[in-house]
Structure formats: C-alpha cells, structure tokens
C-alpha cells in the first residue's frame, strides 16, 4: 500500500489532546475496569425533550431536508438576534450581524481563515481551548503568540502582556479549562484595547449559560460593537452532537465569516436549526435562565460542590468556579504524571498541560459524572487504589 505524507502545515499541529490520552484509558478499560470519567467536556445530561421532539417533527418536512445556507436560516438568525436583546439587552440586526455556525469550533477556525493572513499575529491565551492555537498556527500559517494566564490574576488575560499590532485576539470566559469568569468592565477594557491596537476581538462565549451562584456571564457586545462573539447550543442545551452555534457581531466580521463558510459548508442541517429556534423559545421575555436549564445547572452545581469539597479534604487548593462545568486545580506535580496516577485509580482527568505548557501542574475535571460516582472517585483517591 502507498503511504501518504501529511502537509507540512498539518504536521505542525500536535495530535488532538484526547488522541494522545486515549491509549492510557483504553488499556484500563480493556482490563474490565470501571473508569470514572471527568475527561472531555461533553454533558451527560440529555437535551430537553421539546428540542428532540421538534427535530423529529422538522426532519420529516421535505423543505427541511435540503441545503441550508452558510449564513444560516433567517428565522434562526432572527431568533438569535431577539435572544441577544432579551438576554443581554443589545440590538442585533439578524441580516448583517448573525451567522449560524456548525458549532462554535468551526467558527473559531473559519474566523481566522477569513481575517488573518500568513505571518500575522494571533494572540492566544494559555491555557486555552486548543483549537485557538491549532487553527491559527497550522492552517493560517499565522504567528501565534501564547500569552500566559495566571492564577494570581484570576486567570484573566493581562493586556499589558499582549503584543501590539496583532491581527486577532481569542478570549473565552467563562473559561475552558480554568472555570474563571469575567465582568463587563473587563470586556470593555479588552474591546478598547483591541480597538486602539487594530486587533480583532473574537470572544468565545460558548459557556455563557453555564453559571452558578447568581453570576450571569456578560456578552462582549454589551461592551460595544467592535468584536465578534461565538456562542453555542452545545453546552447550554446539552446539544454537543447536534452541531449548532452562532457568531454575532460587527457586520464586516460576520460578512467575512459567511463568505469563508460559503466556500466550505452549506450550513447546519435545517431541521437542527429549527430545533435551535425551539430551544431559544424556552427563554422568557426577561432573558432569565429557563426552568429546564436552571435544573441542569443545579445538578452541575451539586456535583461541583461535592468534587471541590472532596478535593479540598484531600489537601488540594481548589477554587469553587462560578462558570462552566470544569474544576481546575494545582495537582502539585507534572500534569501527565498525575493523569497517569489517576488512570491507575480508574479515574479519567485531563492534564492542564494539554491546554498550554504554562499550565503544567494543573488538572481539569469535568463534572459529568453523578454525585455517587464522584464520591467513589474521591474514595479511590483517599485509598490510593482502585479497589
Ligand atoms: C471554549 C470552547 N469554545 C468552543 C467549543 C466548541 O464547542 P461547539 O463546537 O460544540 O460549539 C468548546 C468545546 O468544548 C470550548 O470549550
């Protein structure tokens, strides 16, 4: 059989985090071990029934079985714009300021394709969602500048450490992997800085609805129109596999993203987009979190409490996060060593170093296991053995 070399561009990207870790966990599973999984950020809770029901209904309509457009169905764009009004109090034009995406991951990649040329600089917070650096470095041949986030700054990007003249900046709060959150004042400062320095602000608000203890995540668009914000149905509605998201913001940035997508995809399936409209209808006029989502957040909040308190009892210094479903802490040794040790206890965690070398020594645990299993995991850690 002939062998085929990958492009130099592709060879520069390290394998995706979970590809590197899978063999370690697979080995234990092959031994019949019950692995308690705090790894990937994929909700274990189901999508609300009314959304699933809507898909069933919509997929049967012949018109919904055709190509959509890369800008997305207009009725969903209108629903997203109205949701921005209710949730964040900002006016959005559905015709020029919204693009429906196939999840926010593709938008992270395509926005860079649309606006960054070879050799230009992209600022990427580290640790951060690995696609920011993967998308920018490899496929754009851009110069990716990793700016370390620090615990003492509450994991907020320090603008004084960012290079001036960069073409684009990725920013994400509530944050993966640290669970850190920010306020509107901070987003105003970032947007002002970007405006002054000619940098495009790409704000990834994928976890905007995953908040605790009365905290509600702001939108970068509340800080002003000079940005593009990415949002997602994935974590809000437990719809990761449905692949549906939205990009909202400055008309020039939305136009570029649409043009880029126009060459690559034909939009998310129409019947999924129709279900997206049903999902946003769950929100009332005041933009408050709908009951069904508030119920989900109560489940995550209890798991988060049990895990954080349990880890603290074991001697780890853990912050109770105000957003996301991640718990992030200093494990006191190289992240990969700790991950391996945890695998030997039948526990799957994610090494912080996978999100950026500067986070070596940190661990991310996702609260996608029920409380009883979290307690079993903590007991295994206390005992120092699987059984
Ligand atoms: C920060 C961040 N952005 C974007 C995504 C992508 O989400 P999706 O493509 O499912 O919308 C993720 C997924 O984990 C994420 O953590």
């Amino acid at each position: 059989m002939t062998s085929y070399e990958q492009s130099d561009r592709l060879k520069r990207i390290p394998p995706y985090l979970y590809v590197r870790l899978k063999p370690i966990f697979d080995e234990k599973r092959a031994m019949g071990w019950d692995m308690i999984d705090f790894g990937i950020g994929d909700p274990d809770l189901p999508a609300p029934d009314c959304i699933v029901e809507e898909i069933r209904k919509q997929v049967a309509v012949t018109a919904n079985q055709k190509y959509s457009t890369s800008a997305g169905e207009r009725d969903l764009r209108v629903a997203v714009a109205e949701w921005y009004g209710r949730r964040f109090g900002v006016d959005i034009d559905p015709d020029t300021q919204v693009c429906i995406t196939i999840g926010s991951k593709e938008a992270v990649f395509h926005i860079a394709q649309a606006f960054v040329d070879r050799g230009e600089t992209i600022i990427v917070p580290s640790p951060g969602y690995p696609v920011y650096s993967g998308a920018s470095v490899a496929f754009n041949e851009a110069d990716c500048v990793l700016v370390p986030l620090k615990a003492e700054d509450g994991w907020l990007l320090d603008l004084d450490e960012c290079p001036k003249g960069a073409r684009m900046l990725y920013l994400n709060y509530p944050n993966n992997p640290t669970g850190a959150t920010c306020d509107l004042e901070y987003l105003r400062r970032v947007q002002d800085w970007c405006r002054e320095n000619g940098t495009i602000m790409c704000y990834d608000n994928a976890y905007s609805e995953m908040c605790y203890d009365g905290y509600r995540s702001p939108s970068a668009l509340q800080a002003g129109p000079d940005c593009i914000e990415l949002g997602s149905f994935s974590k809000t509605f437990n719809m990761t596999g449905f692949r549906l998201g939205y990009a909202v913001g400055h008309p020039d940035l939305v136009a570029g993203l649409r043009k880029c997508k126009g060459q690559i995809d034909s939009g998310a399936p129409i019947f999924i987009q129709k279900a997206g409209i049903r999902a946003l209808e769950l929100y009332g006029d005041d933009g408050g979190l709908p009951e069904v989502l508030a119920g989900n957040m109560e489940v995550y909040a209890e798991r988060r409490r049990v895990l954080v308190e349990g880890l603290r009892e074991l001697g780890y210094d853990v912050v109770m996060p105000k957003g996301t479903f991640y718990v992030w802490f200093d494990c006191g040794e190289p992240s990969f060593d700790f991950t391996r040790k945890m695998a030997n206890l039948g526990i799957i965690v994610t090494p912080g170093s996978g999100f950026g070398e500067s986070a070596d020594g940190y661990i991310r645990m996702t609260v996608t296991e029920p409380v009883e299993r979290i307690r079993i995991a903590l007991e295994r850690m206390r005992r120092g053995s699987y059984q």
Side-chain angles (χ1 to χ4, degrees):
M1 211 188 330
T2 317
S3 61
Y4 298 94
E5 281 270 305
Q6 293 179 353
S7 65
D8 290 342
R9 193 184 302 126
L10 192 58
K11 277 193 266 183
R12 274 200 295 272
I13 313 189
Y16 205 65
L17 183 60
Y18 293 101
V19 177
R20 278 187 285 163
L21 290 169
K22 206 169 163 288
I24 305 175
F25 307 135
D26 281 354
E27 185 195 308
K28 300 291 176 198
R29 285 200 172 107
M31 288 158 58
W33 279 31
D34 166 31
M35 300 299 283
I36 302 179
D37 194 346
F38 300 98
I40 198 164
D42 199 345
D44 59 316
L45 305 176
D49 289 342
C50 64
I51 298 176
V52 177
E53 207 36 61
E54 188 70 12
I55 294 183
R56 265 201 203 107
K57 199 172 91 193
Q58 298 289 350
V59 73
V61 177
T62 308
N64 295 347
Q65 297 165 0
K66 302 193 175 303
Y67 288 123
S68 180
T69 67
S70 41
E73 296 298 296
R74 189 169 190 280
D75 48 3
L76 178 55
R77 283 189 276 117
V78 169
V80 169
E82 282 175 356
W83 181 75
Y84 260 77
R86 280 178 283 148
R87 170 69 175 86
F88 300 113
V90 288
D91 262 350
I92 297 294
D93 175 5
D95 293 319
T96 60
Q97 288 190 278
V98 183
C99 179
I100 303 305
T101 63
I102 308 174
S104 52
K105 190 176 189 177
E106 66 104 335
V108 166
F109 170 59
H110 286 138
I111 193 68
Q113 287 283 299
F115 287 95
V116 184
D117 280 313
R118 181 189 298 182
E120 289 187 315
T121 300
I122 302 185
I123 299 169
V124 174
S126 177
Y129 182 48
V131 184
Y132 304 142
S133 52
S136 56
V137 175
F139 295 108
N140 279 24
E141 298 176 33
D143 182 11
C144 165
V145 175
L146 295 172
V147 177
L149 305 181
K150 300 183 202 111
E152 59 267 32
D153 297 334
W155 304 102
L156 290 181
L157 180 73
D158 181 351
L159 293 167
D160 292 337
E161 303 226 343
C162 294
K164 304 223 158 140
R167 180 66 172 148
M168 187 175 284
L169 159 79
Y170 287 112
L171 196 69
N172 157 236
Y173 297 101
N175 182 260
N176 177 15
T178 65
T181 53
C182 71
D183 60 19
L184 181 55
E185 187 43 43
Y186 176 75
L187 292 180
R188 280 202 188 99
R189 268 190 281 132
V190 176
Q191 196 169 135
D192 289 348
W193 185 92
C194 285
R195 204 180 288 111
E196 280 157 26
N197 291 287
T199 301
I200 295 168
M201 176 181 183
C202 178
Y203 189 61
D204 181 351
N205 211 352
Y207 296 90
S208 69
E209 305 311 285
M210 284 194 121
C211 301
Y212 308 101
D213 308 331
Y215 169 78
R216 293 212 86 194
S217 166
S219 160
L221 285 148
Q222 289 172 279
D226 295 328
C227 61
I228 188 154
E229 175 161 291
L230 311 181
S232 178
F233 289 78
S234 287
K235 320 281 167 155
T236 306
F237 300 100
N238 300 326
M239 287 169 65
T240 49
F242 295 54
R243 310 310 302 132
L244 192 64
Y246 43 87
V248 180
H250 192 292
D252 293 350
L253 300 176
V254 169
L257 180 62
R258 286 180 180 183
K259 183 174 176 186
C260 177
K261 281 170 59 60
Q263 293 298 316
I264 295 157
D265 62 64
S266 301
I270 299 176
F271 52 91
I272 302 283
Q273 295 191 51
K274 300 285 181 194
I277 298 171
R278 182 72 193 88
L280 293 177
E281 278 169 4
L282 288 170
Y283 278 75
D285 287 343
D286 64 351
L289 203 63
E291 214 177 297
V292 58
L293 304 190
N296 289 343
M297 286 316 293
E298 267 170 36
V299 172
Y300 289 131
E302 177 61 0
R303 294 172 176 180
R304 170 198 67 149
R305 187 189 65 74
V306 170
L307 182 60
V308 168
E309 286 176 1
L311 289 170
R312 284 177 180 165
E313 274 167 29
L314 290 168
Y316 298 101
D317 185 9
V318 194
V319 172
M320 190 73 78
K322 276 199 292 180
T324 75
F325 53 178
Y326 304 122
V327 169
W328 176 254
F329 63 98
D330 185 342
C331 65
E333 60 184 298
S335 303
F336 259 95
D337 293 354
F338 188 85
T339 303
R340 245 186 226 108
K341 266 191 210 161
M342 293 287 272
N344 286 329
L345 301 176
I347 301 168
I348 295 176
V349 299
T350 306
S353 52
F355 299 96
E357 282 310 315
S358 65
D360 197 13
Y362 278 83
I363 289 293
R364 190 192 79 176
M365 293 176 79
T366 314
V367 289
T368 44
E369 289 277 11
V371 165
E372 315 80 77
R373 287 176 64 74
I374 295 175
R375 291 195 206 280
I376 296 171
L378 289 166
E379 188 46 40
R380 288 182 190 172
M381 287 176 77
R382 203 166 291 128
R383 261 198 326 258
S385 67
Y386 173 67
Q387 270 170 339

